[in-house]
Amino acid sequence: MENGIGQHQAPRRYLSYLPQDNSGLADPQSEQVVQTISNDLAELLSSPIADFWHVVATADSLIACLDSYLRFSRRPFDEPQGFPSDAHLQLSRRVFATFSRLVTTAGTSARSQNAQTLYDRWVLDMPKLLDLAAIYGPDNAKLLQQLLQQVFKVQPLYGRDVWDTGPTLTTNLQDVQQTCQQASDGLKQDGQNARLLTGLSDGVQYMRDLCMTLCYFLQAYPSGAQLLLQGQAGIVTQLTSLHDDLVPQMARAVTFASPHNQPQAAQVLHHLRHLVPASQKLTHLLVSQACLQASPVPQLARPPWGLGQAFSPAAKGELLVAAVMAMAQPSQHTQGSATLLKALLGSFGLAAAAHSAITKGIVHMDIDQQDYLGVLLGDPSSFGSEAGSSVLAAAPAGQQSQQALQTYIGQIKEVMPNFGDGFLAAALQHFSYNSEQVIHTLLEGNLPPELKGLDPQMPLQPAGKTGRGVAQPSSNGRPAASYAGWSDLAVAAAAADKPSSGAANPTLTAQQAARRSAHKATSRMLDARSEAEKAAQLQFADAAQWEYEDEYDDSYDDLAPFGNDGIADAEGDDEGATAHPGPFTRPGGSKPPGFPIPGRPPAGQQQQQKGNKPSKQWVLDGRIYNYK
């Protein structure tokens, strides 16, 4: 029967795979168990599709068998490497083939039933997906990628499980780091304490395995980076703390204890040498895949509120700044080129990748964000206003003034987007290309006579034409001057009322363009503003204090009412809504049928935490800046 469960014989009892079964030929009894499991799976794989799914739907021992193998089998990066015997190699292939048949045959006429069975029976869950990545990612990356793509296609609920896993991973990593910190502090006081050294060894191995497993998972499923981060840099913050602060402290503590426990200390140092590059690669994958690569919004079965906005170019820009800020925090234990940020800049080309993503529009940032990002990355000449200056300086002389004008117009339209480019060009020429003065004048409404007669919506005319056009009536009935070139100011009668005190040069030189293109954010950092500019800034600040501040309302988000799911958003929460149970629970909080999940995060740990919004403030040289 293709689409249902008919009359079938009672399923066999599948054996579970235990840690001692990794012994291989050294333990004949374990070798026999491995061979039995392999033969049973071979028979299952050769059965008709209806019989195959009947066993999946009814045999708890099969699910326990697959789960135990994924949990306890040796990883390729474990030592000693390689399979203990040919039987282990054959079993590894048949386990993968079983999961492959599970996700590929869910596309039959019983698709919805089989896909739901896959999810409800815990045949696959987030821990098993990570285990699959750890076991098969190093040597079978292409096959793993095809398997995971099919998993998320057949059952979109797994995408939501990845999303829910992010906070759990962050919390687990933080807890393990605290335990290792305590063990390191204890070893510095008592280097002969073998119990502390054993605990430290376990923590280092856990963090190494976690980093390497996530690397293989993200290489096979790049959209997972966006889902795990959830638009925030919590995992990056923990990885930075691990790399820059904890690893050096653990290394010193183990070195102090090595004279008393030489073999075990040497093993911990060996794991630390693997943990450092693994944490670097994981951070690179998270940042590059979540922020710097063009990827569609993952399709989730029950998407959280604001999923699309979390992956917009602007959101990617904020996440990139937050991640780099987290990595740029000074450390007392790691200096110079040994920091995580320096490793990403040197080994993975983070600065060049960020510049490319901004140029291609994958990441959207305003000038202030780009300026600050360039400072953090140690390459201010490639980002923001400094990049604009270098571009102008390198441009041919005939293009410099036009490019400089477009830069100034863009700066003004960030604040006042309703004015036409032609009108702003005329205003810039009148105020000697001082964009701050133009903004100040437009805000106050004190336009000089030369500008009052112009249409505020006037477009910018091509620079190649010469001569003054004939004024045309505008849509609002006022005269609109049509300019052949942006360097011309119209309304000759109004211009005659103002005595000339030295006309501004309509053509900017390269030196002027480079000097004037310093954006307001960079000027604040360098204290390069004139007294007039500083006075204008004070007036803006005085006026802004009466403006509505949305952050005031957002501050109440953390005071969301205690509702049904514990993750209610303060805005737009539906009363009575049911939360997704998370990656380690199923609807109703049920556990996998027939067997526990030792070593996996219990359902009680899967509390959703509403993270704070990415900060839009930064501190540089003891001063606070805000790019909003």
Side-chain angles (χ1 to χ4, degrees):
M1 297 178 63
E2 174 67 15
N3 61 346
I5 299 175
Q7 298 296 326
H8 300 272
Q9 296 180 353
R12 69 172 69 246
R13 177 74 180 180
Y14 292 86
L15 299 178
S16 293
Y17 188 93
L18 301 178
Q20 57 265 32
D21 294 331
N22 288 312
S23 302
L25 297 176
D27 186 351
Q29 185 176 0
S30 296
E31 185 73 3
Q32 183 178 359
V33 170
V34 170
Q35 189 65 57
T36 300
I37 297 174
S38 180
N39 293 338
D40 289 345
L41 292 181
E43 183 177 347
L44 177 64
L45 289 168
S46 63
S47 63
I49 185 65
D51 293 340
F52 176 84
W53 277 100
H54 171 73
V55 174
V56 173
T58 59
D60 293 348
S61 62
L62 172 64
I63 305 175
C65 171
L66 296 174
D67 177 82
S68 61
Y69 179 81
L70 294 181
R71 185 186 310 163
F72 297 127
S73 66
R74 183 177 297 163
R75 275 52 176 157
F77 47 78
D78 289 339
E79 295 179 357
Q81 297 180 348
F83 292 97
S85 67
D86 292 340
H88 284 78
L89 174 60
Q90 190 72 272
L91 176 58
S92 176
R93 292 172 175 172
R94 287 172 177 169
V95 168
F96 187 87
T98 302
F99 282 106
S100 180
R101 191 181 191 193
L102 282 167
V103 299
T104 54
T105 58
T108 64
S109 57
R111 173 190 176 114
S112 60
Q113 176 185 348
N114 293 343
Q116 201 62 36
T117 298
L118 196 68
Y119 191 79
D120 292 343
R121 291 275 296 162
W122 290 70
V123 182
L124 275 173
D125 51 32
M126 191 58 198
K128 292 188 185 70
L129 293 176
L130 293 176
D131 289 339
L132 285 168
I135 296 172
Y136 299 103
D139 300 323
N140 300 276
K142 188 65 175 179
L143 291 176
L144 175 67
Q145 183 180 24
Q146 295 173 356
L147 177 67
L148 293 186
Q149 288 177 349
Q150 187 67 16
V151 167
F152 293 104
K153 178 181 178 181
V154 168
Q155 182 50 275
L157 289 172
Y158 289 119
R160 181 59 192 259
D161 283 359
V162 179
W163 172 277
D164 292 336
T165 300
T168 302
L169 289 176
T170 304
T171 301
N172 289 349
L173 186 59
Q174 183 178 14
D175 292 342
V176 174
Q177 287 183 239
Q178 291 176 354
T179 302
C180 290
Q181 180 69 64
Q182 295 171 0
S184 298
D185 295 340
L187 284 174
K188 295 175 183 177
Q189 303 295 327
D190 182 9
Q192 302 184 33
N193 194 323
R195 182 182 59 83
L196 290 177
L197 189 59
T198 300
L200 186 62
S201 177
D202 292 341
V204 171
Q205 290 186 65
Y206 171 84
M207 291 185 290
R208 181 208 65 169
D209 292 352
L210 175 64
C211 290
M212 299 183 75
T213 297
L214 288 176
C215 284
Y216 292 123
F217 177 77
L218 294 178
Q219 287 174 331
Y221 182 58
S223 297
Q226 303 179 14
L227 296 174
L228 288 174
L229 289 179
Q230 296 187 4
Q232 303 181 41
I235 300 179
V236 176
T237 300
Q238 290 301 319
L239 291 172
T240 303
S241 174
L242 167 65
H243 184 281
D244 292 355
D245 294 322
L246 183 56
V247 168
Q249 294 184 70
M250 291 190 296
R252 283 192 287 269
V254 173
T255 303
F256 180 79
S258 61
H260 310 285
N261 299 277
Q262 181 63 38
Q264 192 173 11
Q267 184 181 27
V268 176
L269 292 174
H270 175 73
H271 292 320
L272 283 175
R273 285 192 289 270
H274 287 83
L275 174 59
V276 171
S279 62
Q280 294 173 359
K281 185 174 182 179
L282 175 58
T283 308
H284 161 69
L285 289 173
L286 287 170
V287 174
S288 63
Q289 293 179 354
C291 304
L292 306 180
Q293 296 180 9
S295 56
V297 177
Q299 299 300 314
L300 305 186
R302 290 192 288 267
W305 182 86
L307 176 67
Q309 289 79 359
F311 303 134
S312 65
K316 289 184 176 182
E318 292 192 1
L319 177 58
L320 177 60
V321 172
V324 175
M325 287 176 62
M327 291 186 286
Q329 294 298 319
S331 171
Q332 299 179 354
H333 306 281
T334 303
Q335 304 293 334
S337 60
T339 63
L340 180 59
L341 179 58
K342 292 297 184 181
L344 264 63
L345 291 172
S347 301
F348 298 97
L350 177 60
H355 181 269
S356 176
I358 295 173
T359 303
K360 295 177 181 178
I362 299 173
V363 174
H364 174 74
M365 290 183 173
D366 58 28
I367 298 298
D368 288 8
Q369 288 174 297
Q370 293 186 43
D371 282 341
Y372 188 59
L373 181 65
V375 173
L376 293 177
L377 297 178
D379 189 14
S381 62
S382 299
F383 297 89
S385 57
E386 292 293 331
S389 300
S390 61
V391 169
L392 289 175
Q399 301 177 10
Q400 291 169 358
S401 60
Q402 193 70 12
Q403 293 183 16
L405 176 70
Q406 294 291 348
T407 300
Y408 302 146
I409 291 176
Q411 294 173 3
I412 299 173
K413 298 193 79 169
E414 288 180 7
V415 181
M416 312 186 74
N418 296 326
F419 289 91
D421 290 2
F423 178 82
L424 295 179
L428 282 167
Q429 185 186 26
H430 178 82
F431 290 106
S432 301
Y433 308 100
N434 188 328
S435 58
E436 294 286 345
Q437 186 63 31
V438 172
I439 294 174
H440 179 62
T441 302
L442 294 177
L443 285 174
E444 290 195 340
N446 296 329
L447 295 177
E450 293 87 341
L451 299 178
K452 286 183 178 180
L454 303 181
D455 179 12
Q457 307 298 324
M458 181 177 64
L460 185 65
Q461 299 296 327
K465 298 181 180 180
T466 57
R468 182 171 300 171
V470 180
Q472 302 290 338
S474 66
S475 59
N476 58 13
R478 292 184 298 176
S482 175
Y483 288 93
W486 61 264
S487 60
D488 295 329
L489 279 176
V491 194
D497 293 338
K498 180 179 180 179
S500 175
S501 59
N505 185 355
T507 302
L508 296 178
T509 65
Q511 293 79 4
Q512 289 174 319
R515 183 173 63 253
R516 295 186 183 277
S517 63
H519 192 267
K520 54 185 178 182
T522 306
S523 297
R524 283 199 300 268
M525 295 179 185
L526 303 179
D527 280 335
R529 292 187 170 205
S530 64
E531 293 302 322
E533 290 172 324
K534 292 179 181 179
Q537 180 185 5
L538 292 176
Q539 293 183 12
F540 294 152
D542 184 69
Q545 68 176 326
W546 303 107
E547 295 180 359
Y548 173 73
E549 179 54 64
D550 181 64
E551 291 296 328
Y552 178 81
D553 281 356
D554 292 343
S555 65
Y556 286 96
D557 288 351
D558 294 333
L559 303 179
F562 295 100
N564 303 302
D565 52 17
I567 55 171
D569 287 329
E571 301 178 17
D573 182 41
D574 296 331
E575 184 176 357
T578 302
H580 186 272
F584 306 115
T585 58
R586 289 292 183 256
S590 62
K591 294 184 178 180
F595 59 93
I597 323 178
R600 309 298 176 91
Q605 287 186 9
Q606 191 54 31
Q607 294 179 344
Q608 297 302 309
Q609 301 175 352
K610 178 175 177 63
N612 296 326
K613 295 184 177 181
S615 173
K616 294 186 178 181
Q617 293 184 337
W618 66 81
V619 178
L620 187 67
D621 296 332
R623 305 170 65 184
I624 298 177
Y625 300 97
N626 190 308
Y627 62 72
K628 189 174 181 180

